[in-house]
Amino acid sequence: MNPDPPAKAPEPRAPLPPLPRLADALRRLPPSCGPVRLVAVDGHAGSGKSTFARRLAGALDGAPVLRLDDIASHDELFGWTDRLRRWVIAPLARGEAARFPAYDWVTRRFGPGELTLPPAPVVIVEGVGAGREALRPHLAAVLWMDVARETAWARGRLRDGTVQRDFWDGWEPAELQHFTEDPSRPFADVVVRQFPEGYEVRQGPCGTPVGTQLVTECEGPSAVR
């Protein structure tokens, strides 16, 4: 009787591109807010946070995204921490959906409609200040969009046009003061850089385990927003 032929070794799998690899690393982190892994995408206004958060959410099979623009207001550009705790963090920590009225930047008021944020395995919080000190105890990871302040602001002004010029004139000193007093980048687990061909992800200054699971690669195409 002829012996069975030796079993073939499995074909090595190609490495995942950056966003799926990052998504896989985030899924494997311990929950940070009840059953939820709350992930911050922070950076200067105009650095591309919204577009990146949307693409990362897609790599996470449609993870919910909280836009801090829905929590902040004209009167409280950065004074929204307590509101975020009450409206979002507290219910997610209990394993419940967060329901809250979104701020309307045209009518300058909250509501009347209500947004719902389910307690998914990963929830992305996107916006300037998402990685602030008061929130970090509830965060599984801080991701920083690594774009220079002046470059990001120029992008933002170009995007929003002259109609928002007065808003930007007030925003820039407010953002500068916020990051001077409460910087996020030194505590980032991952820094994200954008190139014409796509994104590059690297271990951040914090150097926590989520960063060590990533390899610098590029993925494209991408857009700035």
Side-chain angles (χ1 to χ4, degrees), residues 26-33 35-39 120-124 140:
L26 295 175
R27 288 189 189 99
R28 290 185 278 116
L29 291 175
S32 60
C33 183
V36 174
R37 296 153 186 83
L38 209 57
V39 174
V122 179
V123 173
I124 299 171

Side-chain angles (χ1 to χ4, degrees), residues 4-209:
D4 293 333
K8 286 186 177 181
E11 293 290 332
R13 292 195 306 171
L16 292 172
L19 293 190
R21 177 172 288 192
L22 175 59
D24 185 58
L26 295 175
R27 288 189 189 99
R28 290 185 278 116
L29 291 175
S32 60
C33 183
V36 174
R37 296 153 186 83
L38 209 57
V39 174
V41 176
D42 204 342
H44 299 291
S47 61
K49 297 180 302 301
S50 299
T51 298
F52 178 77
R54 185 168 62 249
R55 294 192 65 194
L56 179 58
L60 287 161
D61 302 318
V65 178
L66 169 66
R67 298 170 63 251
L68 289 180
D69 282 353
D70 294 329
I71 297 289
S73 69
H74 282 89
D75 296 330
E76 295 176 307
L77 294 176
F78 293 98
W80 39 258
T81 303
D82 288 341
R83 188 156 55 239
L84 181 64
R85 283 180 177 142
R86 288 185 283 110
W87 289 1
V88 177
I89 290 177
L92 292 182
R94 297 191 297 267
E96 301 170 1
R99 295 180 175 85
F100 57 93
Y103 185 71
D104 188 319
W105 290 84
V106 176
T107 63
R108 294 181 174 239
R109 65 188 181 95
F110 286 94
E114 189 177 71
L115 297 180
T116 300
L117 197 71
V122 179
V123 173
I124 299 171
V125 181
E126 172 269 311
V128 181
R132 61 175 47 183
E133 181 180 11
L135 300 184
R136 287 197 290 270
H138 308 284
L139 299 175
V142 176
L143 280 56
W144 176 263
M145 301 301 294
D146 214 26
V147 178
R149 179 178 67 228
E150 294 80 6
T151 301
W153 287 351
R155 289 176 179 176
R157 283 182 177 269
L158 181 63
R159 175 195 66 200
D160 294 342
T162 57
V163 69
Q164 292 290 342
R165 182 175 58 192
D166 290 345
F167 175 80
W168 273 94
D169 287 346
W171 171 270
E172 290 180 0
E175 183 190 295
L176 180 60
Q177 179 180 355
H178 167 71
F179 280 134
T180 298
E181 298 173 351
D182 191 356
S184 295
R185 193 187 188 284
F187 302 94
D189 302 290
V190 173
V191 293
V192 181
R193 294 175 183 170
Q194 193 168 34
F195 297 92
E197 64 271 26
Y199 294 106
E200 178 186 71
V201 292
R202 291 178 178 265
Q203 181 173 311
C206 192
T208 54

